[in-house]
Amino acid sequence: MLKLKGDNLVLRALEPSDLDFLYQLENDTSIWEISGTLKPYSKKVLQLYLENAHRDIYEVKQLRLCICDADGECIGLIDLFDFDPKNRRAGIGIVIANPEDRNKGVGAEALSLLCNYAFSVLDLHQLYANILEDNQSSIHLFEKIGFERIGVKKEWIRTSSGFKNEIMFQKINSDVS
């Protein structure tokens, strides 16, 4: 089982016992705008997802890990997606479920751990993230970890209040060629 340990948290593979957390998070309509979710997920669908979560990143082109605090409590998820081993790149996304757990360094530590894993173990050359321009907390987080703003997709995401711009961020691993 994949487990990455930091000073204050652990990133670990999804477990069957994460079903209730995953159900709660995936059906939280307040984050649907950033996740692209359009409809609720059933527990049955999420259970099937968990049963296949062990599959290799080279096969399914994604990796989702739980962010667990010092007590082992799952407080968020972090993902690699659009994994492209030929071009050695992947997208990265993160969500901390409870707003009270945000802006306390958890996201920065989790993001640093996964970036280090992506660059050192998966031998990726670059990671990218797409963040809505009004999500200042995420913008700050990714810039703090060394992601650079590389462009803007204008009116890219349709929301209930109209279209929003999405900012593209990229982090290139300078240790590899």
Side-chain angles (χ1 to χ4, degrees), residues 144-158:
K144 179 179 179 180
I145 301 303
F147 281 74
E148 294 181 40
R149 193 180 300 225
I150 59 165
V152 176
K153 293 184 260 183
K154 303 246 182 222
E155 298 182 17
W156 195 254
I157 301 295
R158 184 174 170 223

Side-chain angles (χ1 to χ4, degrees), residues 16-167:
S17 60
D18 296 322
L19 179 61
D20 288 336
F21 178 79
L22 197 58
Y23 180 78
Q24 174 192 347
L25 192 62
E26 292 290 359
N27 291 304
D28 180 351
T29 57
S30 71
I31 62 170
W32 281 12
E33 187 175 277
I34 61 168
S35 67
T37 303
L38 298 174
K39 62 181 172 98
Y41 285 94
S42 70
K43 279 196 174 181
K44 178 69 174 169
V45 166
L46 294 172
Q47 184 175 4
L48 291 171
Y49 171 77
L50 286 172
E51 288 170 9
N52 288 291
H54 68 280
R55 293 172 59 197
D56 189 81
I57 188 172
Y58 288 90
E59 179 185 357
V60 296
K61 308 299 185 217
Q62 67 179 9
L63 173 67
R64 174 170 274 184
L65 300 172
C66 286
I67 303 168
C68 298
D69 64 16
D71 298 324
E73 189 75 26
C74 190
I75 59 172
L77 298 172
I78 190 163
D79 302 319
L80 291 177
F81 59 90
D82 292 341
F83 177 67
D84 181 346
K86 178 187 181 295
N87 294 300
R88 296 171 52 203
R89 66 176 172 240
I92 191 167
I94 183 171
V95 63
I96 306 299
N98 187 340
E100 293 177 13
D101 291 326
R102 298 177 190 159
N103 300 311
K104 294 182 176 177
V106 172
E109 186 173 351
L111 196 55
S112 292
L113 284 169
L114 193 57
C115 287
N116 290 337
Y117 173 80
F119 291 146
S120 63
V121 176
L122 298 176
D123 195 32
L124 294 185
H125 176 62
Q126 61 182 287
L127 294 168
Y128 69 88
N130 301 306
I131 304 171
L132 292 178
E133 70 180 349
D134 61 354
N135 189 344
Q136 292 302 311
S137 293
S138 286
I139 289 170
H140 175 74
L141 169 63
F142 278 82
E143 288 178 338
K144 179 179 179 180
I145 301 303
F147 281 74
E148 294 181 40
R149 193 180 300 225
I150 59 165
V152 176
K153 293 184 260 183
K154 303 246 182 222
E155 298 182 17
W156 195 254
I157 301 295
R158 184 174 170 223
T159 70
S160 59
S161 60
F163 285 91
K164 291 185 178 181
N165 295 341
E166 189 173 73
I167 302 172

